Amino acid sequence: MSYLPQIAIDQLKSKLTNDLSVLGKIYKAKKSQFQTLSIDHSRVDEMLLDGWEIVIERKRMATKTKMQKAKHYSRLFEDQVWCQMYELGYRHLNYDENFILPFGQEKENTKQIDVIAIDHETIILIECKSSKQLKKAPSYKELFEGLPIKLNGFKKVLEQAFGRGLKVKYIFATRNLRIDIDDVDFKRLFTTGSFYYNDNTYDYVNSLIKSYKSVATYQFLGLLFKNELINLDKIEVPAVEGDMGGKKYYMFSIEPKLLLKMSFIMHRTRANVEELPTYQRLLVSKRLNGITKFIDNGGYFPNSIILNFSPHKHEVQFEASSRSGDSSSRFGMLKIPNAYAIAYVIDGQHRLYGYANSEYKETNTIPVVAFKNLSSHEQLKTFMDINQNQKAVSPSLKIDLEEDIYWNDPKAVYRMQALRSAIVKGLSNTQDSSLFNKITIGEDGSLLGMKAFTTAISKSGLVPTANGNKYTNANNAGLIYDLSNQNHDDEMRRSKKSVVQFLILCYNYVADSYPSIFDKKQSFIVSARGTYAFIVLIGLLNTYLSEKDGLNFKTTPQDRFDALKDYLKVLLDGLSNITPEEEKRQLTLLGTGADVKWLRFFQTIINSKYPDYEPTELTAWKEMHDDQLQDEGRKFIISVEKHIKKVVIEKMKILFKDNWTLEIKDIWLACLGRAEEENAKNYKEGLSKQKVEWTEMFNIMDYKNILSTYWSKIPDEAEDRVGFKTFEKEFTIDVGYGVHGVKQQLKWITVFNSHRNILAHEGSKENGLNKEEVMFLRTVYDHFFK
């Protein structure tokens, strides 16, 4: 029985067109940022007053004037989304914005849809919301509450109009709207299986269309229908199962047409941020055409496509039929769900997509090595291994090559890599340098690695840092580089020479005047972390003196060194007279931050002699190691945490009586588990009398979850409401993030928890809070106790 009368279906279909000539004209009109009209000459003045402008044409029409007007931002967005669908290959679309889709049999059961696109497999329904400028989105509660009923009705109508088997996807597309996707109302959109299409998604799809041309639809459908079945028929291929590196994999051959639908590329774009870490770049469209032509001319690729079958509800299954007595591998049948985007392409996207427009995509089979259930990090590692480590290349060789590869690169970021590479090689290759042959260059091993030097130079402020073509130094005062010189080759050569000579003078001063420090095996200067601390210190002193005494990029290396010499002398005298205990403590520092700790240690020595030299970062470091300040912060934390626990438990008992623990069942069970673990640990250590109660095992984020869940809850019984203050009234604190909505009102707890974690280990002397962070804790403390 039909869901709607046939006349209603016919009216619906009449609002769509699959006429290619008509679609081409519509596409041209929608692609423009202007709407155009041809009007009688007599109406021109009237239209001009309404914001229209005259289009100057070579040949003026006899009775008409062509005029144009910029599209309204909402109309423009709808047209641009429509054009994306057309560019993705859809050739059955609505021809104007007045497409009304029924979702029920009553006359009022209709909904205007901005874009509808249909092909032989899918129907895409798109609703567009936009703003001229970036702003907070309004509430979509009413829209999303009724969405399940509408979508159910839409599918019935579309099935009647276009037949069964087509997959329907509703897209909610926005532009310039700030939306909290964790909002309870917005989450209703995702419960319907719909897709949210924001600014990043729009840009990403445009990039796909630009790079992948007519075959972008495969990645687009994977984006929309990820892990959804195309049909119930599984794809069965003969395969060999094996183990490699502790990972299970399958080797098989498959037609590209089948693989294209189930594959997905982990592009490193903002649109795929939830998939992080992503690792693939968009493919090169010129290469794609060449590969297709190569295949169609009889070419082939004997190497395998590398995949990972992602973990989800539709798992691949392997049915083994035999095992060779000489091998642990097994032959059998691999059964692959016929679903979108279940296979992430780790290597071989160009080869795979080269088949997309080939006449052989249904008849050729391509070799595949497919892993199962690799994590994103494991996929990234595999990708890096394939692309970097097939031939082992040492880090020093890579840095060594940067000078030759990037010296004349059009982008500043790569030129600066080349400059840093050249400076390090200059330090090691200059014979009058105390570092001569002490740095590993290329494949020639030595005492120190190039990486430590390039990292230190990039942080020193001696030469520029860049992102793309934009220089990014926070302070340009100490640069030994003329940013205004557009002859990059000339300036880089001059800068390299000056920096190398300056650093050689500094290192030679240590070697000549303080040989006991320079020649020591565990040296504060000649070591990886010493390299970082010494060179960055030299750079920071150079910046300080550039601001204080007027040093600039024209200052000679000798004059620059003479200006710094007294500061270096204080440092080296301090290191010479260091107590054995302090020396041992510094030399045995562990962890990735040890080099920065040495830098601060060096700065502290200089600051003791030159109090005026106290950079901001040193002030903060000293504050973080001020025991009195840390004790004050710890006092605030303990008091606030006790207060939170007391108030939360008291109010939960008032709100829910004896059932309060059931209201927080997950947290309650987690705390019970923590308490049992702690009691078991105490028992093993002979402390069984110290019974830990579960209420002692709340963490700060547990409290935050409870507060946000029952934020404005009041007791059910009238007598309990007398004098009762809601969590909202008790725990709303504005610490600079605003108080508009629960998220902002409780932002302080997240910050409080991060500060608490820093001071969690009372014996730690390596971490601490600065003054500003302790003042934050005081603000929170004062809220509750003043």
Side-chain angles (χ1 to χ4, degrees), residues 79-357:
D79 284 356
Q80 288 174 335
V81 172
W82 189 100
C83 288
Q84 276 196 340
M85 297 302 108
Y86 181 86
E87 291 164 351
L88 285 165
Y90 285 92
R91 292 297 181 266
H92 198 173
L93 298 107
N94 57 310
Y95 56 77
D96 64 24
E97 63 274 16
N98 296 315
F99 182 81
I100 307 299
L101 184 60
F103 60 84
Q105 297 176 341
E106 302 301 325
K107 189 175 181 179
E108 64 273 14
N109 294 155
T110 60
K111 180 80 172 67
Q112 187 262 333
I113 301 295
D114 296 314
V115 180
I116 176 169
I118 304 171
D119 66 7
H120 62 288
E121 290 184 341
T122 61
I123 299 178
I124 311 299
L125 306 175
I126 307 178
E127 181 157 0
C128 299
K129 302 290 183 183
S130 60
S131 168
K132 188 174 183 179
Q133 296 177 327
L134 186 64
K135 71 171 188 178
K136 181 176 174 59
S139 172
Y140 295 114
K141 179 180 181 181
E142 184 177 348
L143 172 63
F144 295 148
E145 277 183 342
L147 192 57
I149 295 173
K150 291 184 177 71
L151 289 181
N152 184 54
F154 291 159
K155 289 174 182 177
K156 290 179 180 179
V157 171
L158 294 170
E159 182 177 291
Q160 184 181 343
F162 302 105
R164 303 184 64 180
L166 296 180
K167 294 186 70 64
V168 178
K169 180 65 69 172
Y170 172 82
I171 294 176
F172 185 71
T174 66
R175 172 175 288 172
N176 284 337
L177 291 174
R178 300 196 315 271
I179 289 178
D180 179 6
I181 61 172
D182 293 324
D183 180 76
V184 63
D185 293 326
F186 201 81
K187 281 184 177 180
R188 291 189 175 97
L189 174 71
F190 299 116
T191 62
T192 64
S194 299
F195 188 84
Y196 177 44
Y197 201 91
N198 60 14
D199 299 74
N200 291 337
T201 315
Y202 176 85
D203 291 340
Y204 175 50
V205 174
N206 268 353
S207 299
L208 288 175
I209 292 166
K210 182 178 179 181
S211 296
Y212 289 70
K213 307 298 181 185
S214 60
V215 299
T217 184
Y218 290 110
Q219 183 76 358
F220 176 72
L221 292 177
L223 195 67
L224 295 191
F225 296 102
K226 188 173 292 183
N227 298 334
E228 293 186 27
L229 289 174
I230 299 171
N231 57 51
L232 296 175
D233 298 327
K234 289 195 173 184
I235 299 168
E236 298 188 4
V237 292
V240 173
E241 180 191 66
D243 288 284
M244 180 167 50
K247 305 296 180 184
K248 195 173 293 296
Y249 70 95
Y250 305 98
M251 299 176 61
F252 57 91
S253 293
I254 192 170
E255 289 77 10
K257 180 183 178 181
L258 296 173
L259 188 56
L260 281 162
K261 286 186 178 181
M262 70 174 73
S263 65
F264 192 73
I265 316 295
M266 295 275 276
H267 290 131
R268 192 169 182 83
T269 70
R270 292 189 299 270
N272 289 332
V273 68
E274 292 184 1
E275 300 280 1
L276 287 175
T278 51
Y279 46 85
Q280 294 273 28
R281 292 173 295 180
L282 291 163
L283 56 70
V284 181
S285 56
K286 290 181 180 178
R287 282 187 62 191
L288 194 63
N289 294 333
I291 291 171
T292 301
K293 187 176 180 180
F294 171 75
I295 294 168
D296 286 344
N297 288 335
Y300 61 91
F301 301 97
N303 48 333
S304 299
I305 307 289
I306 311 298
L307 305 176
N308 172 59
F309 285 117
S310 58
H312 55 84
K313 60 183 179 182
H314 307 300
E315 294 278 354
V316 296
Q317 296 174 337
F318 181 74
E319 294 184 358
S321 58
S322 64
R323 185 194 295 273
S324 168
D326 300 322
S327 174
S328 61
S329 62
R330 301 189 298 170
F331 176 76
M333 191 66 69
L334 186 66
K335 296 184 176 181
I336 307 170
N338 196 356
Y340 293 103
I342 61 168
Y344 288 170
V345 179
I346 297 173
D347 185 61
Q349 63 161 322
H350 280 90
R351 278 169 277 148
L352 174 59
Y353 273 84
Y355 270 101
N357 281 328

Side-chain angles (χ1 to χ4, degrees), residues 263-504:
S263 65
F264 192 73
I265 316 295
M266 295 275 276
H267 290 131
R268 192 169 182 83
T269 70
R270 292 189 299 270
N272 289 332
V273 68
E274 292 184 1
E275 300 280 1
L276 287 175
T278 51
Y279 46 85
Q280 294 273 28
R281 292 173 295 180
L282 291 163
L283 56 70
V284 181
S285 56
K286 290 181 180 178
R287 282 187 62 191
L288 194 63
N289 294 333
I291 291 171
T292 301
K293 187 176 180 180
F294 171 75
I295 294 168
D296 286 344
N297 288 335
Y300 61 91
F301 301 97
N303 48 333
S304 299
I305 307 289
I306 311 298
L307 305 176
N308 172 59
F309 285 117
S310 58
H312 55 84
K313 60 183 179 182
H314 307 300
E315 294 278 354
V316 296
Q317 296 174 337
F318 181 74
E319 294 184 358
S321 58
S322 64
R323 185 194 295 273
S324 168
D326 300 322
S327 174
S328 61
S329 62
R330 301 189 298 170
F331 176 76
M333 191 66 69
L334 186 66
K335 296 184 176 181
I336 307 170
N338 196 356
Y340 293 103
I342 61 168
Y344 288 170
V345 179
I346 297 173
D347 185 61
Q349 63 161 322
H350 280 90
R351 278 169 277 148
L352 174 59
Y353 273 84
Y355 270 101
N357 281 328
S358 169
E359 59 184 280
Y360 295 111
K361 74 175 180 181
E362 296 185 36
T363 54
N364 276 9
T365 57
I366 53 178
V368 174
V369 172
F371 292 90
K372 183 179 179 182
N373 298 348
L374 293 181
S375 68
S376 295
H377 288 278
E378 288 171 324
Q379 291 178 63
L380 173 58
K381 182 180 183 303
T382 303
F383 174 81
M384 296 298 290
D385 289 343
I386 291 169
N387 286 278
Q388 293 189 16
N389 298 326
Q390 287 182 344
K391 291 183 179 180
V393 179
S394 69
S396 288
L397 178 56
K398 292 175 185 175
I399 297 171
D400 180 21
L401 293 172
E402 286 175 354
E403 181 182 3
D404 295 324
I405 295 171
Y406 297 132
W407 189 265
N408 294 310
D409 197 278
K411 289 189 176 181
V413 62
Y414 295 119
R415 292 198 303 275
M416 293 305 102
Q417 281 184 233
L419 178 57
R420 292 193 293 269
S421 171
I423 290 170
V424 179
K425 286 190 279 185
L427 292 174
S428 186
N429 295 337
T430 304
Q431 289 202 11
D432 67 346
S433 167
S434 56
L435 294 174
F436 181 65
N437 285 343
K438 281 186 166 61
I439 306 172
T440 297
I441 304 296
E443 297 294 320
D444 299 322
S446 193
L447 178 66
L448 301 169
M450 286 189 79
K451 181 66 176 175
F453 283 87
T454 56
T455 300
I457 292 168
S458 72
K459 301 289 187 182
S460 69
L462 294 172
V463 296
T465 55
N467 183 4
N469 249 336
K470 183 179 180 181
Y471 294 108
T472 57
N473 294 72
N475 189 341
N476 294 331
L479 289 180
I480 307 177
Y481 191 98
D482 183 6
L483 293 173
S484 65
N485 188 352
Q486 295 305 304
N487 186 332
H488 301 307
D489 178 73
D490 177 70
E491 186 56 29
M492 288 170 68
R493 291 181 188 280
R494 192 202 63 77
S495 176
K496 170 195 169 183
K497 182 180 179 180
S498 187
V499 173
V500 168
Q501 289 179 355
F502 171 53
L503 289 177
I504 286 176

Side-chain angles (χ1 to χ4, degrees), residues 704-713:
K704 184 177 180 182
N705 289 335
I706 295 171
L707 293 174
S708 60
T709 302
Y710 305 103
W711 191 234
S712 55
K713 174 75 175 171

Side-chain angles (χ1 to χ4, degrees), residues 547-577:
E547 295 174 329
K548 179 173 176 282
D549 298 332
L551 303 183
N552 57 55
F553 67 88
K554 294 180 181 179
T555 303
T556 67
Q558 186 63 55
D559 288 342
R560 195 180 301 277
F561 170 73
D562 290 340
L564 263 74
K565 183 178 178 180
D566 289 343
Y567 294 85
L568 293 182
K569 185 178 187 304
V570 169
L571 169 67
L572 296 166
D573 285 340
L575 293 176
S576 298
N577 297 311

